[in-house]
Amino acid sequence: MPLVSMRQLLDEAAKGGYGVGAFNVNNMEQIQAIMEAARETKSPVIIQASRGARSYSQDKFLYHLMLAAAELYPEIPLVMHLDHGNSFETCKSAIELGFTSVMMDGSLKEDGKTPSTFDENVAVTKAVVDLAHKHGVTVEGEIGVLGGIEDGHGAGGSGLEHVTDPEQAVEFVKKTGVDALAIAIGTSHGAYKFSKKPDGSVLKMDRLIEIHKRLPHVHLVMHGSSSVPQDLQDVINQYGGKLKPTWGVPVEEIQLGIRNGVRKINVDTDNRLAITGAIRKVFAEQPEKFDPRDYLKPAREAMKKVVALRMTQFGQAGHASDYKPISIEEMKKFYAGQSAAAK
Ligand SMILES: [Zn+2]
């Protein structure tokens, strides 16, 4: 099966009432871990690359690994998505390379750090939507600003400084025509999301529910949604790591989100923790080993386990063969029809 449109995956997820995990990758082992988890759980899946990942890997390597994944796992609907595009040019280069979905994060200026104005966000996002839809490519926008920093991208802070305003969210969707919308409800990027188990004072699920009520047909996206489980932290610290105590987003909160319009859930940190823990364990227990496969294999296996668990928890498991993929060519026609109807 060729790489497919994220719009189709999310439309199907909305019909089925489930969420789809979007997992970040930088290399072959991470892609293999996700595909094996998808096969085991029969899940449609979104694989995403940030700007940092694109430069780390030279994105052509990633793209061809993704084509290999699509070829080797033909039963799995698979999307290649750009995470946090910072500018029109970044999104354009991803579309030209063959990504089937892009995020234009216009909530920040091009530096990826400074919050932008609403009008700046609308202008750049709309420009990306116009270009992407012509190519049959899906667009995720963002309104409100997430906390934390990852891969050098982010405004920093706690995640509560720029929580999404529902009124603005409605206006933003109307003006840009995005397919999916990332909202800020108190989550942050990175491992250090919360200094205690998050409750209603830090995670604004009521805000999410309100936005879904006003935009029932828009696919909502939760960023910074690793759960940062204690057991993964423990493995790292047990084998010489020095993680400070931290809490992520509890899976039950994500599941509450999924019942209220969340269709895409971004997870990166949990997989990083699983990989690092597995590698540390080999180094500590078998210090004589020096073949990279001796620690990359258990690392890949550890990540696969986390991904498979999330796929089950998000509800996407079992849905890989529910629908026939719509080609990107057909998606071009779909969007052309949509914009003709709007005129
Ligand atoms: Zn993000």
Side-chain angles (χ1 to χ4, degrees), residues 87-318:
S87 68
F88 178 82
E89 283 307 317
T90 301
C91 292
K92 183 167 176 263
S93 68
I95 292 166
E96 284 167 355
L97 180 64
F99 281 72
T100 57
S101 179
V102 294
M103 175 185 192
M104 176 62 231
D105 178 1
S107 73
L108 301 174
K109 290 182 189 283
E110 197 168 332
D111 66 6
K113 291 179 176 66
T114 318
S116 63
T117 66
F118 179 77
D119 290 339
E120 285 168 336
N121 190 357
V122 167
V124 69
T125 305
K126 175 80 172 73
V128 170
V129 167
D130 288 345
L131 176 77
H133 284 184
K134 248 181 235 151
H135 289 81
V137 169
T138 310
V139 180
E140 172 185 341
E142 176 171 325
I143 185 81
V145 181
L146 289 144
I149 297 174
E150 196 161 25
D151 279 357
H153 181 100
S158 75
L160 286 174
E161 286 154 42
H162 306 274
V163 170
T164 304
D165 173 63
E167 203 75 50
Q168 274 199 347
V170 172
E171 202 186 331
F172 183 78
V173 169
K174 208 170 122 194
K175 288 191 161 155
T176 60
V178 289
D179 301 280
L181 183 66
I183 54 172
I185 51 163
T187 64
S188 298
H189 292 119
Y192 299 101
K193 299 182 193 300
F194 307 111
S195 52
K196 60 181 172 89
K197 194 171 167 28
D199 56 23
S201 66
V202 288
L203 206 55
K204 304 291 181 195
M205 296 308 288
D206 48 344
R207 187 62 68 95
L208 182 149
I209 291 167
E210 196 187 334
I211 293 167
H212 176 55
K213 276 198 186 124
R214 298 215 199 171
L215 291 168
H217 303 297
V218 173
H219 305 308
L220 300 180
V221 182
M222 274 176 79
H223 279 245
S225 291
S226 277
S227 301
V228 197
Q230 191 60 47
D231 58 328
L232 293 182
Q233 298 180 46
D234 289 346
V235 175
I236 291 179
N237 287 339
Q238 183 187 342
Y239 295 106
K242 288 206 170 102
L243 294 176
K244 288 174 276 175
T246 175
W247 283 263
V249 181
V251 169
E252 315 84 71
E253 298 295 326
I254 297 170
Q255 289 168 332
L256 172 65
I258 292 169
R259 290 196 294 278
N260 289 281
V262 170
R263 298 297 159 232
K264 173 171 179 274
I265 304 104
N266 288 9
V267 174
D268 188 3
T269 298
D270 288 351
N271 293 327
R272 294 178 173 198
L273 294 173
I275 287 170
T276 300
I279 291 176
R280 277 194 173 279
K281 186 167 188 285
V282 174
F283 285 173
E285 289 180 344
Q286 299 164 285
E288 73 284 3
K289 296 280 190 194
F290 63 92
D291 180 341
R293 289 170 297 188
D294 287 334
Y295 50 86
L296 290 178
K297 257 198 216 173
R300 184 170 64 189
E301 189 57 30
M303 173 166 163
K304 178 196 148 187
K305 260 198 202 156
V306 174
V307 172
L309 179 62
R310 294 288 174 271
M311 286 169 160
T312 306
Q313 291 166 330
F314 298 162
Q316 76 209 77

Side-chain angles (χ1 to χ4, degrees), residues 25-30 50-62 151:
V25 297
N26 306 282
N27 63 31
M28 179 183 78
E29 283 78 5
Q30 290 173 310
S50 65
R51 272 187 296 144
R54 287 176 69 187
S55 77
Y56 169 81
S57 65
Q58 297 184 45
D59 53 14
K60 237 187 207 304
F61 278 114
L62 274 190
D151 279 357

